[in-house]
Amino acid sequence: LISSMKNQMLADEDLHAIFEYLQWQYQMPEFAMIRPGAVKVACYEGMSSPEGVACVFEMKDMMEKFKYVVLPIHASLHWTVLLLIMEEGDTGKVKEVYYFDFLPTVQLNLQYARKILRMLTVDGAGGCMEVLAVHNSYRQSYGSNDCGFAVWYALEVFMKQHRLEGKWTLYPVPSVWRERLHTLKTTLLEQQQAWILEVGMGTKP
């Protein structure tokens, strides 16, 4: 629970919880989030190792199955996020690219984002798509460690758009999102402990 407390850096499992929570709220099977660990391995290893190759192919597989693919990028104790909108028809080709960064002074994340995008979009002629701009004007407050909530923002912005609620209708509110995430995790932990206790006592959980 520590990672979702005030001023703490979100962990991989927090991003998973955010994705599952928003999926429950919006019911959007068109969206997928790549495992943060797989993105990290691809960022560091690229295509130079079997592990890196496997992670890249995992991402490409998701790109063929979903319309919106979210890739959390972690570097230098900072989270940013790529959101890919895929072409229709299960082609695996990227139609649009959006990049979100609540603290754009950390350039290593942008380098990794460009590296990932090149690996995922390179064509037979050697061409590829590029990350050109950050698609948010919000800047996190000093010492807040709210960078991971760029994932929440990217997901909910496009879930709202897909639900025809309009474009860019959401303003980031990391303090509210952090409290909601922490409450969710606390409740799930309490339910898990109750389940374990009931199983141990031989009652129906």
Side-chain angles (χ1 to χ4, degrees):
L1 294 175
I2 293 176
S3 59
S4 57
M5 295 177 67
K6 186 177 180 180
N7 296 335
Q8 297 297 312
M9 175 73 65
L10 296 188
D12 291 18
E13 56 267 25
D14 294 314
L15 302 191
H16 282 292
I18 288 170
F19 177 72
E20 294 293 341
Y21 172 74
L22 291 175
Q23 275 286 26
W24 167 77
Q25 183 176 357
Y26 284 91
Q27 298 294 301
M28 289 285 177
E30 299 87 358
F31 284 75
M33 189 181 78
I34 307 296
R35 295 182 300 112
V39 180
K40 288 178 187 177
V41 171
C43 284
Y44 287 107
E45 300 289 335
M47 302 293 284
S48 64
S49 72
E51 294 80 9
V53 171
C55 290
V56 172
F57 276 102
E58 177 182 332
M59 288 185 267
K60 288 189 174 182
D61 182 60
M62 299 283 266
M63 291 164 62
E64 292 179 356
K65 295 177 179 176
F66 297 91
K67 181 174 181 179
Y68 302 89
V69 180
V70 173
L71 298 92
I73 298 171
H74 190 263
S76 302
L77 300 179
H78 181 51
W79 288 105
T80 57
V81 57
L82 273 174
L83 185 141
L84 312 179
I85 302 180
M86 310 307 299
E87 291 184 359
E88 299 291 341
D90 302 328
T91 63
K93 293 183 179 180
V94 179
K95 180 181 178 182
E96 298 176 62
V97 178
Y98 294 88
Y99 183 61
F100 300 87
D101 186 353
F102 286 176
L103 188 65
T105 54
V106 182
Q107 291 298 304
L108 185 56
N109 288 68
L110 180 57
Q111 294 175 28
Y112 281 145
R114 288 172 173 163
K115 179 179 180 180
I116 288 288
L117 194 57
R118 283 195 298 268
M119 288 189 291
L120 296 178
T121 63
V122 64
D123 56 30
C128 61
M129 301 186 77
E130 289 285 345
V131 178
L132 299 177
V134 173
H135 290 87
N136 60 269
S137 57
Y138 176 83
R139 298 292 182 267
Q140 67 191 63
S141 57
Y142 179 78
S144 66
N145 274 330
D146 285 339
C147 54
F149 288 100
V151 173
W152 187 309
Y153 177 67
L155 280 166
E156 192 161 17
V157 160
F158 281 91
M159 285 180 173
K160 285 179 174 292
Q161 288 189 27
H162 190 73
R163 203 161 67 173
L164 304 181
E165 294 185 20
K167 292 187 175 182
W168 306 105
T169 58
L170 181 71
Y171 187 79
V173 283
S175 59
V176 174
W177 296 342
R178 185 181 288 276
E179 183 178 349
R180 194 172 300 167
L181 173 63
H182 192 67
T183 300
L184 172 66
K185 290 170 60 179
T186 301
T187 302
L188 290 174
L189 180 60
E190 291 172 351
Q191 292 295 320
Q192 182 189 49
Q193 291 173 336
W195 180 291
I196 293 171
L197 179 61
E198 289 164 352
V199 170
M201 295 174 63
T203 59
K204 184 177 180 180

